Amino acid sequence: MKRLVLLRHGQSQWNLENRFTGWHDVDLTDQGRAEAKQAGALLRDAGILPEAVFTSVLKRAIRTAWIALDELDRLWIPMTKDWHLNERHYGALQGLNKAETAAKYGDEQVHIWRRSFATPPPALEGNDERHPCHDPRYQNLDTEILPGTESLKDTLARVLPYWDTTLAPQLKHYDTLLIAAHGNSLRALVMHLEGLSDDEIMGVEIATGDPLVFELDDQLNVLKRYSLRAES
Ligand SMILES: O=C(O)[C@H](O)COP(=O)(O)O
């Protein structure tokens, strides 16, 4: 039996301010750090000891992994940071307050941008300084693949190949793998693991700092899924 632990980062400063975040590299709040520490304690109390960790290139997820693993005294395990696990890119909405945006565009339009499967928010243009092509962490990537916005479908399209080529093979030689990432990049994995439809995934919300444990058979079929916070 294999264990895959999906951990959304702890509360970020823009979660607290109710801003669209996406690829903006905002840090954790004090509450977010406490959530990450609790996640490590929940894993420890459950006897779930990750042997490797994969995360994004955004500090809220990286720091969550560090804090949780420090609580487990397992900062020594291999850590891979990869943009494929970044949050969904929220385009020109990044930085805007979700309530103010709803007041400007209407609740229905904001709900569509947030929870439709295939409708992306308005895109950032390449000459916008917020576009990823101006960010040094992506400088070695072909600018053609850097998004100016993403729908959940677009996020799935970059996460799933990464699961197939990189993450799933890790479970051939590790029994316990931790993925510390973001609400929508993790929803992409949940959708794949549980065979959810476009409509079903819309109803899935992943809380900050709550370790979701997937018990898998050797063929990576899901045997059991549970939240450690709910079990505590
Ligand atoms: O990037 C963001 O704004 C959040 O992490 C995820 O957005 P959501 O709350 O609209 O899913």
Side-chain angles (χ1 to χ4, degrees):
M1 188 262 287
K2 305 289 183 179
R3 280 199 185 105
L4 175 69
V5 181
L6 303 186
L7 177 60
R8 182 181 177 193
H9 59 80
Q11 182 196 63
S12 74
Q13 188 57 40
W14 279 12
N15 290 153
L16 179 63
E17 295 173 17
N18 197 33
R19 294 187 185 282
F20 290 101
T21 311
W23 285 30
H24 183 74
D25 198 15
V26 68
D27 211 339
L28 298 175
T29 60
D30 289 343
Q31 177 182 318
R33 292 165 187 259
E35 289 175 355
K37 185 174 172 69
Q38 188 210 28
L42 288 168
L43 288 166
R44 184 190 59 229
D45 296 349
I48 298 176
L49 305 177
E51 298 163 86
V53 56
F54 283 74
T55 188
S56 70
V57 293
L58 300 171
K59 68 179 68 168
R60 58 190 187 272
I62 296 166
R63 199 181 304 283
T64 295
W66 282 346
I67 293 170
L69 289 173
D70 194 26
E71 192 65 21
L72 284 162
D73 195 18
R74 292 177 76 87
L75 280 172
W76 51 268
I77 66 170
M79 171 180 264
T80 304
K81 308 179 190 89
D82 195 294
W83 72 276
H84 287 91
L85 290 175
N86 276 14
E87 177 56 283
R88 167 195 172 182
H89 195 294
Y90 255 105
L93 299 185
Q94 291 184 174
L96 299 181
N97 176 283
K98 293 171 184 174
E100 291 162 359
T101 308
K104 180 175 180 182
Y105 293 102
D107 288 333
E108 181 57 26
Q109 178 59 75
V110 172
H111 180 78
I112 289 169
W113 281 331
R114 289 188 65 191
R115 290 293 176 265
S116 71
F117 183 67
T119 306
L124 288 178
E125 298 301 327
N127 59 5
D128 187 313
E129 64 178 8
R130 296 173 295 169
H131 192 284
C133 67
H134 303 293
D135 188 324
R137 82 195 74 191
Y138 309 115
Q139 65 189 14
N140 296 325
L141 297 176
D142 182 341
T143 53
E144 291 303 307
I145 64 173
L146 294 176
T149 189
E150 286 182 312
S151 63
L152 182 59
K153 182 180 181 182
D154 296 327
T155 308
L156 202 73
R158 65 169 156 88
V159 171
L160 284 200
Y162 190 67
W163 165 261
D164 290 335
T165 62
T166 305
L167 297 176
Q170 299 295 319
L171 287 163
K172 291 192 176 10
H173 49 261
Y174 291 123
D175 291 329
T176 305
L177 182 68
L178 171 62
I179 299 177
H182 305 264
N184 289 293
S185 53
L186 293 178
R187 286 167 81 218
L189 290 177
V190 170
M191 183 175 182
H192 174 67
L193 288 166
E194 299 201 323
L196 301 181
S197 68
D198 302 358
D199 290 336
E200 287 169 324
I201 192 59
M202 290 300 107
V204 172
E205 293 293 335
I206 298 177
T208 53
D210 179 14
L212 293 183
V213 180
F214 285 78
E215 294 182 359
L216 309 171
D217 66 18
D218 289 343
Q219 288 70 47
L220 304 187
N221 298 303
V222 177
L223 303 171
K224 187 179 176 185
R225 168 207 176 183
Y226 53 95
S227 146
L228 286 184
R229 187 179 287 166
E231 304 268 307
S232 62

